[in-house]
Amino acid sequence: MARIAFILLCHKDPKGVIAQARRLTASGDYVSIHFDARANPRDFESVRKALAENPSVVFAPRRWKCGWGEWSLVGATLEAVRMAVASFPLATHFYMLSGDCMPIKSAEYAHAFLDAEDCDYIENFDFFESDWIKTGFKEERLVYRHWFNERTQKWLFYTSFEVQKRLGITREVPADIQVMIGSQWWCLRRHTVEKVLEFCASRPEVLRFFETTWIPDETFFQTVVPHVVPRREIRARTLTYLVFTDYGMPVTFYNDQYDLLLGQDYLFARKISPEALRLRERLGALWAASGVHFPISNEATGLFRFLTGRGRIGRRFGQRFWETEGSLGRANTLLLVVAKKWHVAKRLTQAIRDRTEIPAVDYLFNELGAHLPDLGGVETTLEKRDRHRRALLRLLFEQFEASRMVICLDPSALHLIQDLMSDKADTRLLLIDSEFSSDYVRGHIGRVGLAGAQSAPDVVDRLVPTVRADLEHEAERLRDMDYTGFHSIAPWRNPEENAAQLARFLDVAPETALELARTEYLFSD
C-alpha cells in the first residue's frame, strides 16, 4: 500500500501546521516540514516543540528565507525532500503541500488512488510552445538572469532586467534540457525523487541556471522529472485542486463549499480560508474516514468561470461580506505607523524595508505611489482602496506572503485608525510625535489650502497658533484612545528610548531596533 511523505512548506499558522502534521501522520504517512526562516521564530519553535516526539515528522535541517518567484522556494523544497528520503525509507510517494492545503478525500481513497497506477503526477507543458503563461514575462524568465525579488525589490528587479536587455546580455538554455512549466504542487514516486536528487548532484550547471530564472518553482521539477523518467510514466496534472482569479490570485474556499470540493477529482485543495473553521474541521475528519464514496463531478472550475464571467456576487465564488468588511485574519499582524510628517514616516518605512524582512508600504490611502506591488487594478484609485480597505490589506498580505506588514496613516484619518485597531488581527500603532515649527505650520497651511500665495503674511501668522494646536490635538486624540498596542517615538527622546518602542512595535531584535532608531536624519524636516 502507498505510504506518502508529505513535503509541507509553511510560513505561518503554527496551530494549523501542527494539526495538519498530526492528521497526516495518524493515517500512517509521514511529514517533512520546511518552515520559512523569514517567519516569526516563536511560531517555528512552537511547531518544532509540539511535533518533536512524533517519529513520523522531520524538519528540514536548513531553513531558507523564502520569497515568491525566487529559487529559495525550490531550495526549501529540495531540503525537505532530502530529509524525507533519508528519514522515511518506507515512503513510496512524495507529495508537495502548503500550510493552506486541506484533504478533500480520505486517506483510504488517496492510498488506493496512488496504488492504482504506477506513475508520477506533475504538470509539465512545453515552456515555449504551450500557453500556460497567460500574461507577462515568458522567454524573459529564462534568457535573462534574475537576482532580485520582484515584489520586495521591484526597482532592482526591473532595472537589472532593463540593463541586461539594453546591453543584449542573454544566455542559452542548457543544450540537452527541454524546459517545461506547470503547477508547483506535485506527487512523485520514490524512485523518481531519488533520480531527481541524483540529477541535482550530477548537474550543478543546471541548478545554477535555474537559480537565476524567475519563478523556478514552476519550471525546475517540471523540467527535471521528464528528463529522468519516461514520459509514459508521467501524468501531466496535479492532484491538488486550485483555481486562479483574473488577478492571478488563488481562489479561497469557505464553509459552504464542502460538497463542491469533495466532487473534484483531486486529493487535496488550496486555499482553504483560515476563518472557514467548520470546513477545516469537516475536511480534517474526512481524512481519517473509511468507506466514503466520492462521486466525481468536476463542476467547480466551470462554475467559478461562469459566475465570475457574469459578474454575479454572493454566490459560491462571489465576494463574501467578510472579504470586504471582515477580519484581516487573526494570524496576521498589521503595524500602523501614524505620522503627520509624511517624510519622517517614509524614512522609517524605507529603513524597515532595508533592515528587516517586514514588508512596508507608505501612505496607501493618501498617495497613489506608496511602494505597492502590482495588484491587478484594485490599487489604481484612492477611493477604491478606501472602499475596499480590508480586501486590499488582505491581498497585500497574500502578495507579500507575509504575516506582518507595515502601513502609514495620517493621524487625521481617525475613523480609519479606529476601524483597523478594532480588527481581530494583531493590530499595533506607532505614533511618530513631531515638533511643529512655525515654518512647518505655515507650509502646512499652504498645502491644505487654508491660505494661498497671495495671502497677507499677518493673516497666515494669525492662523499658525490655531493650526499648530489642531495638529498637536490629533496626536492627543490617539493617546486618549488608550489602545493596548500603542507605541510612540519622538525626536526629543534618545535613540535607546525610541529603539525600545520600535522593538516592541515591530517585534524585532533590540540591535535591529536601535539601527532603525539611528536612521540618519529620521526626524529632520
Side-chain angles (χ1 to χ4, degrees), residues 423-443:
D423 195 88
K424 294 177 183 178
D426 177 10
T427 310
R428 308 174 195 173
L429 189 154
L430 176 73
L431 173 65
I432 302 181
D433 276 311
S434 299
E435 294 176 311
F436 301 110
S437 67
S438 294
D439 286 342
Y440 176 85
V441 176
R442 288 190 181 93

PDB file of all heavy atoms in Angstrom, residues 423-443:
ATOM      1  N   ASP A 423      -9.870  45.567  14.600  1.00  0.00           N
ATOM      2  CA  ASP A 423      -9.891  44.311  13.864  1.00  0.00           C
ATOM      3  C   ASP A 423      -9.426  43.153  14.754  1.00  0.00           C
ATOM      4  O   ASP A 423      -8.710  43.344  15.741  1.00  0.00           O
ATOM      5  CB  ASP A 423      -8.994  44.413  12.633  1.00  0.00           C
ATOM      6  CG  ASP A 423      -9.251  43.299  11.638  1.00  0.00           C
ATOM      7  OD1 ASP A 423     -10.128  43.466  10.791  1.00  0.00           O
ATOM      8  OD2 ASP A 423      -8.576  42.258  11.734  1.00  0.00           O
ATOM      9  N   LYS A 424      -9.832  41.933  14.360  1.00  0.00           N
ATOM     10  CA  LYS A 424      -9.425  40.736  15.106  1.00  0.00           C
ATOM     11  C   LYS A 424      -7.947  40.416  14.918  1.00  0.00           C
ATOM     12  O   LYS A 424      -7.371  39.635  15.671  1.00  0.00           O
ATOM     13  CB  LYS A 424     -10.267  39.534  14.655  1.00  0.00           C
ATOM     14  CG  LYS A 424     -11.738  39.654  15.017  1.00  0.00           C
ATOM     15  CD  LYS A 424     -12.516  38.469  14.463  1.00  0.00           C
ATOM     16  CE  LYS A 424     -14.006  38.617  14.756  1.00  0.00           C
ATOM     17  NZ  LYS A 424     -14.790  37.497  14.190  1.00  0.00           N
ATOM     18  N   ALA A 425      -7.337  41.005  13.881  1.00  0.00           N
ATOM     19  CA  ALA A 425      -5.907  40.804  13.686  1.00  0.00           C
ATOM     20  C   ALA A 425      -5.133  41.465  14.821  1.00  0.00           C
ATOM     21  O   ALA A 425      -5.671  42.289  15.576  1.00  0.00           O
ATOM     22  CB  ALA A 425      -5.476  41.402  12.343  1.00  0.00           C
ATOM     23  N   ASP A 426      -3.874  41.094  14.953  1.00  0.00           N
ATOM     24  CA  ASP A 426      -2.985  41.750  15.910  1.00  0.00           C
ATOM     25  C   ASP A 426      -2.589  43.089  15.292  1.00  0.00           C
ATOM     26  O   ASP A 426      -1.702  43.156  14.450  1.00  0.00           O
ATOM     27  CB  ASP A 426      -1.759  40.873  16.168  1.00  0.00           C
ATOM     28  CG  ASP A 426      -0.750  41.533  17.105  1.00  0.00           C
ATOM     29  OD1 ASP A 426      -1.088  42.578  17.691  1.00  0.00           O
ATOM     30  OD2 ASP A 426       0.369  41.007  17.232  1.00  0.00           O
ATOM     31  N   THR A 427      -3.279  44.167  15.684  1.00  0.00           N
ATOM     32  CA  THR A 427      -3.039  45.485  15.110  1.00  0.00           C
ATOM     33  C   THR A 427      -2.356  46.372  16.138  1.00  0.00           C
ATOM     34  O   THR A 427      -2.837  46.520  17.256  1.00  0.00           O
ATOM     35  CB  THR A 427      -4.355  46.138  14.644  1.00  0.00           C
ATOM     36  OG1 THR A 427      -5.078  45.213  13.826  1.00  0.00           O
ATOM     37  CG2 THR A 427      -4.074  47.399  13.852  1.00  0.00           C
ATOM     38  N   ARG A 428      -1.214  46.943  15.747  1.00  0.00           N
ATOM     39  CA  ARG A 428      -0.438  47.795  16.635  1.00  0.00           C
ATOM     40  C   ARG A 428      -0.266  49.174  16.002  1.00  0.00           C
ATOM     41  O   ARG A 428      -0.305  49.314  14.787  1.00  0.00           O
ATOM     42  CB  ARG A 428       0.936  47.182  16.910  1.00  0.00           C
ATOM     43  CG  ARG A 428       0.874  45.751  17.395  1.00  0.00           C
ATOM     44  CD  ARG A 428       2.269  45.149  17.511  1.00  0.00           C
ATOM     45  NE  ARG A 428       2.218  43.693  17.621  1.00  0.00           N
ATOM     46  CZ  ARG A 428       3.295  42.918  17.601  1.00  0.00           C
ATOM     47  NH1 ARG A 428       4.508  43.462  17.481  1.00  0.00           N
ATOM     48  NH2 ARG A 428       3.179  41.599  17.697  1.00  0.00           N
ATOM     49  N   LEU A 429      -0.058  50.171  16.862  1.00  0.00           N
ATOM     50  CA  LEU A 429       0.035  51.548  16.387  1.00  0.00           C
ATOM     51  C   LEU A 429       1.327  52.177  16.902  1.00  0.00           C
ATOM     52  O   LEU A 429       1.612  52.117  18.107  1.00  0.00           O
ATOM     53  CB  LEU A 429      -1.184  52.354  16.854  1.00  0.00           C
ATOM     54  CG  LEU A 429      -1.390  53.757  16.290  1.00  0.00           C
ATOM     55  CD1 LEU A 429      -2.877  54.110  16.352  1.00  0.00           C
ATOM     56  CD2 LEU A 429      -0.600  54.812  17.062  1.00  0.00           C
ATOM     57  N   LEU A 430       2.087  52.774  16.007  1.00  0.00           N
ATOM     58  CA  LEU A 430       3.279  53.546  16.373  1.00  0.00           C
ATOM     59  C   LEU A 430       3.031  55.002  15.984  1.00  0.00           C
ATOM     60  O   LEU A 430       2.947  55.332  14.796  1.00  0.00           O
ATOM     61  CB  LEU A 430       4.521  53.028  15.651  1.00  0.00           C
ATOM     62  CG  LEU A 430       5.795  53.844  15.918  1.00  0.00           C
ATOM     63  CD1 LEU A 430       6.306  53.578  17.338  1.00  0.00           C
ATOM     64  CD2 LEU A 430       6.872  53.527  14.891  1.00  0.00           C
ATOM     65  N   LEU A 431       2.894  55.867  16.980  1.00  0.00           N
ATOM     66  CA  LEU A 431       2.732  57.299  16.731  1.00  0.00           C
ATOM     67  C   LEU A 431       4.113  57.938  16.670  1.00  0.00           C
ATOM     68  O   LEU A 431       4.911  57.805  17.614  1.00  0.00           O
ATOM     69  CB  LEU A 431       1.908  57.944  17.843  1.00  0.00           C
ATOM     70  CG  LEU A 431       1.797  59.469  17.789  1.00  0.00           C
ATOM     71  CD1 LEU A 431       1.031  59.910  16.544  1.00  0.00           C
ATOM     72  CD2 LEU A 431       1.143  60.013  19.050  1.00  0.00           C
ATOM     73  N   ILE A 432       4.410  58.620  15.589  1.00  0.00           N
ATOM     74  CA  ILE A 432       5.648  59.379  15.485  1.00  0.00           C
ATOM     75  C   ILE A 432       5.331  60.810  15.899  1.00  0.00           C
ATOM     76  O   ILE A 432       4.715  61.574  15.146  1.00  0.00           O
ATOM     77  CB  ILE A 432       6.242  59.347  14.063  1.00  0.00           C
ATOM     78  CG1 ILE A 432       6.513  57.900  13.633  1.00  0.00           C
ATOM     79  CG2 ILE A 432       7.518  60.164  14.003  1.00  0.00           C
ATOM     80  CD1 ILE A 432       7.120  57.777  12.240  1.00  0.00           C
ATOM     81  N   ASP A 433       5.697  61.164  17.126  1.00  0.00           N
ATOM     82  CA  ASP A 433       5.472  62.530  17.613  1.00  0.00           C
ATOM     83  C   ASP A 433       6.340  63.499  16.825  1.00  0.00           C
ATOM     84  O   ASP A 433       7.436  63.157  16.370  1.00  0.00           O
ATOM     85  CB  ASP A 433       5.815  62.621  19.100  1.00  0.00           C
ATOM     86  CG  ASP A 433       4.658  62.168  19.977  1.00  0.00           C
ATOM     87  OD1 ASP A 433       3.538  62.638  19.736  1.00  0.00           O
ATOM     88  OD2 ASP A 433       4.882  61.339  20.872  1.00  0.00           O
ATOM     89  N   SER A 434       5.849  64.724  16.701  1.00  0.00           N
ATOM     90  CA  SER A 434       6.570  65.724  15.909  1.00  0.00           C
ATOM     91  C   SER A 434       6.570  67.066  16.613  1.00  0.00           C
ATOM     92  O   SER A 434       5.659  67.395  17.377  1.00  0.00           O
ATOM     93  CB  SER A 434       5.925  65.878  14.523  1.00  0.00           C
ATOM     94  OG  SER A 434       5.963  64.669  13.801  1.00  0.00           O
ATOM     95  N   GLU A 435       7.612  67.834  16.332  1.00  0.00           N
ATOM     96  CA  GLU A 435       7.659  69.234  16.737  1.00  0.00           C
ATOM     97  C   GLU A 435       7.276  70.065  15.521  1.00  0.00           C
ATOM     98  O   GLU A 435       7.867  69.924  14.444  1.00  0.00           O
ATOM     99  CB  GLU A 435       9.064  69.594  17.210  1.00  0.00           C
ATOM    100  CG  GLU A 435       9.471  68.871  18.485  1.00  0.00           C
ATOM    101  CD  GLU A 435      10.903  69.166  18.884  1.00  0.00           C
ATOM    102  OE1 GLU A 435      11.800  69.063  18.026  1.00  0.00           O
ATOM    103  OE2 GLU A 435      11.120  69.493  20.064  1.00  0.00           O
ATOM    104  N   PHE A 436       6.279  70.928  15.697  1.00  0.00           N
ATOM    105  CA  PHE A 436       5.768  71.701  14.569  1.00  0.00           C
ATOM    106  C   PHE A 436       6.286  73.136  14.661  1.00  0.00           C
ATOM    107  O   PHE A 436       5.718  73.967  15.387  1.00  0.00           O
ATOM    108  CB  PHE A 436       4.239  71.664  14.548  1.00  0.00           C
ATOM    109  CG  PHE A 436       3.672  70.280  14.438  1.00  0.00           C
ATOM    110  CD1 PHE A 436       3.008  69.704  15.509  1.00  0.00           C
ATOM    111  CD2 PHE A 436       3.813  69.542  13.277  1.00  0.00           C
ATOM    112  CE1 PHE A 436       2.486  68.418  15.423  1.00  0.00           C
ATOM    113  CE2 PHE A 436       3.304  68.263  13.174  1.00  0.00           C
ATOM    114  CZ  PHE A 436       2.635  67.694  14.249  1.00  0.00           C
ATOM    115  N   SER A 437       7.348  73.406  13.947  1.00  0.00           N
ATOM    116  CA  SER A 437       7.902  74.758  13.931  1.00  0.00           C
ATOM    117  C   SER A 437       6.947  75.689  13.192  1.00  0.00           C
ATOM    118  O   SER A 437       6.063  75.248  12.438  1.00  0.00           O
ATOM    119  CB  SER A 437       9.267  74.771  13.245  1.00  0.00           C
ATOM    120  OG  SER A 437       9.118  74.466  11.862  1.00  0.00           O
ATOM    121  N   SER A 438       7.150  76.978  13.374  1.00  0.00           N
ATOM    122  CA  SER A 438       6.284  77.951  12.700  1.00  0.00           C
ATOM    123  C   SER A 438       6.412  77.833  11.186  1.00  0.00           C
ATOM    124  O   SER A 438       5.420  77.934  10.449  1.00  0.00           O
ATOM    125  CB  SER A 438       6.648  79.364  13.158  1.00  0.00           C
ATOM    126  OG  SER A 438       6.340  79.526  14.533  1.00  0.00           O
ATOM    127  N   ASP A 439       7.628  77.593  10.699  1.00  0.00           N
ATOM    128  CA  ASP A 439       7.818  77.440   9.242  1.00  0.00           C
ATOM    129  C   ASP A 439       7.071  76.210   8.728  1.00  0.00           C
ATOM    130  O   ASP A 439       6.457  76.246   7.648  1.00  0.00           O
ATOM    131  CB  ASP A 439       9.303  77.322   8.914  1.00  0.00           C
ATOM    132  CG  ASP A 439      10.026  78.654   9.031  1.00  0.00           C
ATOM    133  OD1 ASP A 439       9.337  79.696   9.028  1.00  0.00           O
ATOM    134  OD2 ASP A 439      11.267  78.637   9.134  1.00  0.00           O
ATOM    135  N   TYR A 440       7.139  75.113   9.492  1.00  0.00           N
ATOM    136  CA  TYR A 440       6.434  73.910   9.064  1.00  0.00           C
ATOM    137  C   TYR A 440       4.928  74.170   9.027  1.00  0.00           C
ATOM    138  O   TYR A 440       4.236  73.790   8.070  1.00  0.00           O
ATOM    139  CB  TYR A 440       6.724  72.736  10.000  1.00  0.00           C
ATOM    140  CG  TYR A 440       5.932  71.491   9.648  1.00  0.00           C
ATOM    141  CD1 TYR A 440       6.387  70.594   8.694  1.00  0.00           C
ATOM    142  CD2 TYR A 440       4.677  71.250  10.225  1.00  0.00           C
ATOM    143  CE1 TYR A 440       5.645  69.483   8.333  1.00  0.00           C
ATOM    144  CE2 TYR A 440       3.923  70.147   9.864  1.00  0.00           C
ATOM    145  CZ  TYR A 440       4.411  69.266   8.920  1.00  0.00           C
ATOM    146  OH  TYR A 440       3.654  68.171   8.566  1.00  0.00           O
ATOM    147  N   VAL A 441       4.397  74.824  10.071  1.00  0.00           N
ATOM    148  CA  VAL A 441       2.952  75.080  10.137  1.00  0.00           C
ATOM    149  C   VAL A 441       2.526  75.986   8.992  1.00  0.00           C
ATOM    150  O   VAL A 441       1.472  75.777   8.377  1.00  0.00           O
ATOM    151  CB  VAL A 441       2.569  75.677  11.502  1.00  0.00           C
ATOM    152  CG1 VAL A 441       1.088  76.042  11.523  1.00  0.00           C
ATOM    153  CG2 VAL A 441       2.872  74.697  12.631  1.00  0.00           C
ATOM    154  N   ARG A 442       3.335  77.005   8.674  1.00  0.00           N
ATOM    155  CA  ARG A 442       2.996  77.869   7.539  1.00  0.00           C
ATOM    156  C   ARG A 442       2.934  77.057   6.243  1.00  0.00           C
ATOM    157  O   ARG A 442       2.045  77.236   5.419  1.00  0.00           O
ATOM    158  CB  ARG A 442       4.031  78.984   7.409  1.00  0.00           C
ATOM    159  CG  ARG A 442       3.949  80.053   8.501  1.00  0.00           C
ATOM    160  CD  ARG A 442       4.852  81.232   8.162  1.00  0.00           C
ATOM    161  NE  ARG A 442       4.796  82.226   9.218  1.00  0.00           N
ATOM    162  CZ  ARG A 442       5.652  82.269  10.248  1.00  0.00           C
ATOM    163  NH1 ARG A 442       6.633  81.355  10.329  1.00  0.00           N
ATOM    164  NH2 ARG A 442       5.540  83.190  11.171  1.00  0.00           N
ATOM    165  N   GLY A 443       3.900  76.156   6.060  1.00  0.00           N
ATOM    166  CA  GLY A 443       3.877  75.301   4.880  1.00  0.00           C
ATOM    167  C   GLY A 443       2.645  74.412   4.858  1.00  0.00           C
ATOM    168  O   GLY A 443       2.035  74.200   3.804  1.00  0.00           O
TER     169      GLY A 443
END
